[in-house]
Amino acid sequence: MDAQLIRQVEGGATLVTPTRRLARDLVRRFDLAQAAAGRRVWNSADILPWDAWITRSLQAHAGEDAALQVLDPMQELALWRRTIDSAGSAPLLDAAAAARTARDARAIQLAWRVDCSGPASEEVGAYLEWVRRFEAICRRQGWTEPARRIDVLSEQVRVHGRLSRGELVLYGFDALLPQMRALLESCRQAGLGVSEREPAPLSGQVRRSACVDEEDERREVACQVRELLLHHPHARIGIVVPALAAARDAWMHALDDALQPARCLPDWSGAPRPYNLSLGQPLSALPMVDAALTILRLAQGRLTLADLGVLLRGPFLAESEAERIARAHLDAQLRRQGAPEVTLDGLLAAARGRTPEDPAACRRLAARLRNWMAQARTALDHRQLPSAWSETFLELCSGLGWPGERVLDSEEYQTQRKWLECVSGLGHLDAQLGRISYAEALAWLARTAADTLFQPETPEVPVQVVGALESVGLQFDHLFVTGLHDEAWPQAPRPNPFLPLARQRTAGVAHASAEWESAFATRMIATWKTAAPQVCFTYPTRQGDRPLRVSALLQDVQLVERPTAMPSTLAQRMQQGARLEEITDGSARALAHGFEVSGGAAVLENQAACPFRAFATHRLGARPLEEAHSGLDARERGSLLHHALATLWERVPSHAALLALDAQQQRDVVDHAVDAAIAAARTDVLTPAFAAIERARLCALLDQLLLIERARADFRVIEREAPRAFEFAGLRLRARVDRVDALADGRRIVLDYKTGSSRVSQWLGERPDAPQLPLYALIEAGEVAALAFAGVRAGAVGFTGVASEEGLLPGVGAVQPDKMGVADFPALLAAWRARLGALAAEFLGGHAVVAPKRYPATCRWCALGSMCRVTELFDRGPVSVEDDGSDD
């Protein structure tokens, strides 16, 4: 802020800026200049952004035009939506998005004086009809649309004279739009002095730096910012991120990790962040507001399991801390039920608990829900004005104790106030919407919260993270401009679809053409080069597997080598200079012989896949939460099939009984078995139509299996889904064997139904992938002659296995020594006993090392990665891994 500009402000000039951030910065610089001049008291600077100046000027003329009623943003959007809905045009996929685009088009049309006369496309024609209706409603109601405020003010100046005494100085504008220039010309003609000023350019060092990718770029810039603040704690540092909206969270993570790494700790209560982002978050994205909206959605009678889980585990309900553990159990219990949605009645029943000792019982929550449900059901029956819905929504949130019982910090307190303003703002829509239903009011509130950007107030901080437009006029001691690769800068044009493209280009509308984008990008590069004594342009050289180049506009800027790599992440800095001793501890406390383990054969399967997986799953009880799903998942489909087959072989206990059935009798047996399975399934999923489809699928599979079973030698089914408790190699296990057949000579065949892929190779090797059937063969009381997967899936019905001799099962042969490494079937059983016994001994002995059988294939679907840190162990360098897909 140069001396001349300071004198103008001291003399009473009004300084108008394009952004609120620049206005605040100029006020700060003006105050510093006054203090540096030795003044103890001075008049406040009249510096404000353009929109605020327009609003103040309109209010100053309120006496001349008291009837002026300017719509606020929510009212304007509601009126556009009402206009579009009443236009009678073809149905739109997203009427809310069309309303927002039409509102933006109207602002562009008026600001740039875009001529829309003449032949029009279907989209433009629809928009012009909407505008005609929109203007008619505004005239009838005496409303002024926000896009016309400048024109209204210009007319008031022409009629009533100058706005104020003194001078008007426009500072830091990249370009003045035609609508703005018309107002300024009216001000000049009314005798108001109007001038334009640009920031004085700063000269210094300008360089560019190439980074590996976007993550590396963020890490590098954050690291350099930390070093600058260490040596120059009062320096003003700017970071320009052209695509800030998309990268906001990633930049926050990088800067937090570099500047305040302890913020990730749960008991953090330190200083505010030393940086500020110019772009706020959607209000609806903040956890406190998301919880309030979730409560209001719950009042409609049902809620998705994922949303309900977040609400139950969060701190925004009453007694959340007192019932923290119980509510986590309640969430897990609801997930085990598998339904993608939970009804209010179902939630209340689950919260009451099944028994007095039920760990998922949340009785305080249940007590609140009982009263709250009546309140919610009463609200759903009404149609009322938006202002009445504001009160209803606040009462419903309060009824469940929102926002919780914790003491709110500054940011949460500001969030709560902003949410209350948002809810109260519904009352402004009475005239535009009239009486509406609960669902309509909630939809408006949710859209408003999503459209409202929230940025908590923070103290003055040294680092500013801004977008391209917000950076105009700002000056720093050090400036980093990021993301300037050839695909991002200049940016791609983004014309408004509701205005004629050719007219937008002719009028020079922002973002409407590649020519405008190129000129704007060139101007911004020139502006940034003089915005700080030290300027660094950075760009990624790769995005995924695609190489990137520097923007053509930076070819003349000197490329410098990156400084010596410095530790940037919290983990790296903790390790820097530390004396570390690596200890690989893969042993847990040994278990006593005869220890009972839950999970059946899965304990040996997991020990074979990765010893740590077996330890974490079967000793620590570490299991992922269930995921909700629509319809039946693979496990439930498998259960249906197992139930149907168990019922079928109960009715047909032998090969002879099967052969005795004629076609109709077999049809009846199959129908009965399938009907019994479907009757026992989840009624919330198997609707009549879905049940009919599933019934046809199961009948077809059972018919194909019975066709193969008829071709077998004589057998009897002696076990069906039989539960067993047994001891193997010192482990006490429980299992359920799908089926055991007895041959005519008394020997046994052990079968396991499979609805997925199955291969004999999964039984082989020192650490077999699927040891379940070999284990069942080893614990069978009688002599086992064969074991096999009974594949029951479309296109793959039949047996896959190994037998002591040929001909015992269709498609199942005897042992092949060259492929299986053993001479005969008894030798195979002996090998399995030794291998599975070794796995059992490992588990009992506490062998729990992180050693996946085939990394990364073994770990692909494992949920324990955050416990074992397998990627940190195995991804330290290039690893050659043979991935045969056997764990897929």
Side-chain angles (χ1 to χ4, degrees):
M1 196 171 188
D2 58 37
Q4 181 184 353
L5 189 60
I6 291 174
R7 286 194 297 272
Q8 286 180 288
V9 176
E10 289 174 338
T14 297
L15 198 62
V16 179
T17 66
T19 66
R20 187 177 302 276
R21 181 172 294 264
L22 179 56
R24 286 200 305 266
D25 184 62
L26 290 174
V27 169
R28 180 190 63 84
R29 287 152 66 181
F30 176 81
D31 290 343
L32 288 175
Q34 298 302 306
R39 297 185 178 91
R40 300 181 61 183
V41 178
W42 58 87
N43 291 327
S44 298
D46 190 20
I47 304 175
L48 67 169
W50 174 265
D51 281 343
W53 178 72
I54 293 294
T55 299
R56 187 179 75 176
S57 300
L58 284 170
Q59 291 172 348
H61 280 272
E64 289 88 357
D65 192 357
L68 184 65
Q69 298 182 49
V70 180
L71 297 173
D72 65 28
M74 191 186 299
Q75 291 172 325
E76 181 188 26
L77 192 61
L79 186 55
W80 275 110
R81 180 66 186 272
R82 171 182 159 188
T83 301
I84 292 172
D85 290 342
S86 66
S89 54
L92 298 170
L93 290 176
D94 190 345
R100 288 191 292 270
T101 306
R103 175 198 59 192
D104 296 342
R106 182 61 171 167
I108 292 171
Q109 180 187 1
L110 294 176
W112 294 89
R113 305 303 196 219
V114 178
D115 181 9
C116 293
S117 60
S121 65
E122 183 178 356
E123 292 82 3
V124 175
Y127 163 74
L128 293 177
E129 174 60 21
W130 298 341
V131 169
R132 186 186 66 77
R133 292 171 175 266
F134 184 90
E135 289 181 323
I137 296 174
C138 287
R139 283 194 302 270
R140 190 163 58 248
Q141 300 293 337
W143 296 331
T144 298
E145 57 183 303
R148 281 198 176 277
R149 291 187 311 153
I150 297 176
D151 294 333
V152 170
L153 181 58
S154 182
E155 179 62 24
Q156 288 179 343
V157 171
R158 281 195 295 270
V159 174
H160 302 293
R162 62 188 299 171
L163 292 171
S164 62
R165 299 179 183 274
E167 183 183 4
L168 182 66
V169 180
L170 278 75
Y171 182 89
F173 284 82
D174 175 62
L176 293 174
L177 310 188
Q179 188 183 39
M180 299 166 66
R181 290 199 175 279
L183 171 59
L184 297 176
E185 182 58 31
S186 297
C187 292
R188 289 189 181 96
Q189 292 179 4
L192 178 65
V194 179
S195 61
E196 298 179 33
R197 292 289 305 275
E198 294 295 331
L202 302 175
S203 59
Q205 183 184 21
V206 179
R207 67 189 192 279
R208 62 181 167 99
S209 176
C211 302
V212 177
D213 53 24
E214 292 175 341
E215 182 179 359
D216 178 58
E217 180 183 28
R218 290 189 291 268
R219 198 163 46 232
E220 172 69 17
V221 170
C223 184
Q224 291 194 42
V225 168
R226 185 183 71 246
E227 293 301 310
L228 286 171
L229 290 177
L230 284 175
H231 297 94
H232 309 283
H234 301 295
R236 288 184 56 77
I237 302 170
I239 304 174
V240 178
V241 184
L244 183 57
R248 184 185 191 278
D249 290 344
W251 273 101
M252 285 190 69
H253 178 77
L255 290 170
D256 281 347
D257 197 43
L259 304 180
Q260 284 187 333
R263 182 174 283 274
C264 68
L265 301 177
D267 57 347
W268 167 260
S269 58
R273 288 182 168 93
Y275 65 88
N276 179 275
L277 286 90
S278 67
L279 183 67
Q281 290 179 280
L283 187 61
S284 59
L286 298 171
M288 180 187 290
V289 175
D290 179 67
L293 289 170
T294 302
I295 290 171
L296 297 178
R297 290 196 299 273
L298 177 62
Q300 293 177 289
R302 62 180 59 243
L303 197 62
T304 66
L305 182 59
D307 288 345
L308 180 59
V310 173
L311 184 64
L312 289 174
R313 299 191 307 271
F316 302 110
L317 298 179
E319 293 92 27
S320 59
E321 185 59 31
E323 291 188 331
R324 178 169 55 90
I325 302 300
R327 293 182 188 184
H329 279 291
L330 176 60
D331 178 37
Q333 176 182 308
L334 293 171
R335 286 171 177 270
R336 284 192 293 272
Q337 294 175 5
E341 290 189 329
V342 180
T343 65
L344 257 176
D345 290 329
L347 174 61
L348 177 60
R352 284 172 171 164
R354 292 167 293 186
T355 64
E357 296 78 23
D358 188 349
C362 302
R363 295 183 176 85
R364 298 185 184 182
L365 175 63
R368 279 189 174 266
L369 277 174
R370 277 195 299 271
N371 298 326
W372 186 81
M373 286 170 62
Q375 182 183 2
R377 285 167 177 159
T378 300
L380 292 176
D381 293 335
H382 288 82
R383 291 183 68 87
Q384 53 189 13
L385 294 174
S387 55
W389 282 122
S390 295
E391 297 179 10
T392 300
F393 289 159
L394 293 177
E395 290 171 358
L396 286 172
C397 289
S398 176
L400 286 185
W402 183 92
E405 298 157 333
R406 298 173 305 116
V407 176
L408 303 180
D409 60 26
S410 173
E411 187 169 324
E412 289 175 325
Y413 176 72
Q414 294 180 59
T415 302
Q416 182 188 27
R417 290 186 59 185
K418 193 67 175 179
W419 163 253
L420 295 177
E421 291 176 11
C422 186
V423 177
S424 299
L426 278 179
H428 299 166
L429 301 179
D430 286 357
Q432 285 76 29
L433 299 180
R435 293 184 177 274
I436 54 177
S437 67
Y438 184 99
E440 291 170 324
L442 180 55
W444 271 107
L445 180 60
R447 280 196 296 268
T448 302
D451 291 341
T452 301
L453 293 181
F454 172 71
Q455 180 77 306
E457 296 179 4
T458 59
E460 187 68 28
V461 291
V463 182
Q464 304 290 321
V465 185
V466 297
L469 288 175
E470 292 86 357
S471 70
V472 174
L474 294 175
Q475 294 186 328
F476 304 95
D477 299 315
H478 301 270
L479 177 63
F480 297 89
V481 187
T482 66
L484 298 186
H485 59 85
D486 58 342
E487 295 184 11
W489 200 260
Q491 296 176 325
R494 306 183 302 278
N496 190 290
F498 287 151
L499 297 174
L501 179 58
R503 303 291 178 85
Q504 291 185 67
R505 290 174 173 172
T506 300
V509 171
H511 307 296
S513 67
E515 292 78 13
W516 188 94
E517 293 289 357
S518 178
F520 172 72
T522 302
R523 292 197 307 272
M524 292 306 302
I525 293 288
T527 299
W528 290 327
K529 286 180 178 180
T530 61
Q534 298 289 328
V535 180
C536 179
F537 296 100
T538 66
Y539 59 96
T541 56
R542 190 179 69 225
Q543 191 174 68
D545 295 329
R546 193 172 74 257
L548 301 172
R549 296 176 298 178
V550 65
S551 170
L553 301 176
L554 292 178
Q555 293 289 354
D556 63 330
V557 177
Q558 178 188 7
L559 176 64
V560 297
E561 294 294 328
R562 292 174 58 174
T564 304
M566 294 174 286
S568 59
T569 67
L570 174 60
Q572 289 173 338
R573 291 200 298 280
M574 290 174 66
Q575 294 173 4
Q576 185 186 31
R579 299 176 60 185
L580 300 177
E581 179 182 0
E582 286 197 14
I583 300 176
T584 302
D585 184 5
S587 298
R589 182 174 61 86
L591 301 173
H593 188 89
F595 186 84
E596 183 172 355
V597 183
S598 63
V603 65
L604 299 181
E605 180 178 334
N606 287 330
Q607 188 73 25
C610 175
F612 181 82
R613 181 189 295 181
F615 168 73
T617 302
H618 301 284
R619 290 186 62 173
L620 301 184
R623 292 177 178 83
L625 290 173
E626 300 284 345
E627 295 290 337
H629 53 270
S630 299
L632 299 174
D633 63 9
R635 183 179 60 184
E636 290 170 327
R637 286 177 180 270
S639 296
L640 268 180
L641 180 68
H642 280 65
H643 192 292
L645 286 167
T647 304
L648 185 148
W649 292 115
E650 183 180 12
R651 295 280 297 271
V652 186
S654 67
H655 183 252
L658 175 62
L659 295 180
L661 298 176
D662 60 26
Q664 184 57 49
Q665 289 173 326
Q666 179 174 315
R667 176 81 272 140
D668 293 341
V669 168
V670 169
D671 288 346
H672 170 76
V674 171
D675 288 342
I678 289 178
R682 287 169 49 195
T683 56
D684 62 317
V685 172
L686 281 179
T687 61
F690 189 11
I693 295 173
E694 199 62 27
R695 186 180 188 281
R697 182 185 75 88
L698 290 173
C699 287
L701 290 174
L702 265 59
D703 284 340
Q704 294 175 52
L705 180 63
L706 291 180
L707 184 64
I708 298 172
E709 297 275 13
R710 283 176 175 271
R712 289 178 56 186
D714 186 39
F715 67 87
R716 291 180 298 109
V717 180
I718 59 175
E719 286 190 27
R720 305 175 307 277
E721 302 289 338
R724 292 189 182 185
F726 59 94
E727 183 172 316
F728 177 80
L731 282 177
R732 292 174 58 197
L733 303 171
R734 294 180 182 274
R736 185 179 295 273
V737 182
D738 289 352
R739 177 175 151 197
V740 179
D741 290 354
L743 300 177
D745 59 6
R747 292 183 299 166
R748 310 293 174 83
I749 294 179
V750 183
L751 298 174
D752 185 46
Y753 299 128
K754 280 291 182 183
T755 57
S757 61
S758 55
R759 300 184 300 277
V760 173
S761 61
Q762 293 175 300
W763 301 336
L764 306 178
E766 294 297 319
R767 309 185 76 84
D769 294 328
Q772 181 181 19
L773 261 181
L775 177 64
Y776 292 168
L778 295 175
I779 65 172
E780 183 58 41
E783 179 185 354
V784 175
L787 66 161
F789 293 123
V792 194
R793 63 190 179 104
V797 176
F799 297 106
T800 303
V802 63
S804 59
E805 59 193 72
E806 300 288 342
L808 294 182
L809 278 174
V812 175
V815 170
Q816 301 178 38
D818 58 333
K819 292 184 178 181
M820 298 184 181
V822 293
D824 53 24
F825 194 72
L828 181 60
L829 292 176
W832 281 338
R833 186 173 298 279
R835 291 165 184 172
L836 300 190
L839 291 173
E842 280 187 4
F843 184 81
L844 281 172
H847 182 62
V849 67
V850 179
K853 181 179 177 181
R854 280 179 294 271
Y855 178 82
T858 300
C859 307
R860 185 166 296 148
W861 307 113
C862 180
L864 303 173
S866 60
M867 292 182 66
C868 69
R869 314 298 285 271
V870 65
T871 55
E872 294 185 15
L873 293 174
F874 285 81
D875 289 350
R876 291 177 176 175
V879 178
S880 177
V881 177
E882 180 182 352
D883 182 359
D884 64 0
S886 60
D887 287 274
D888 289 356

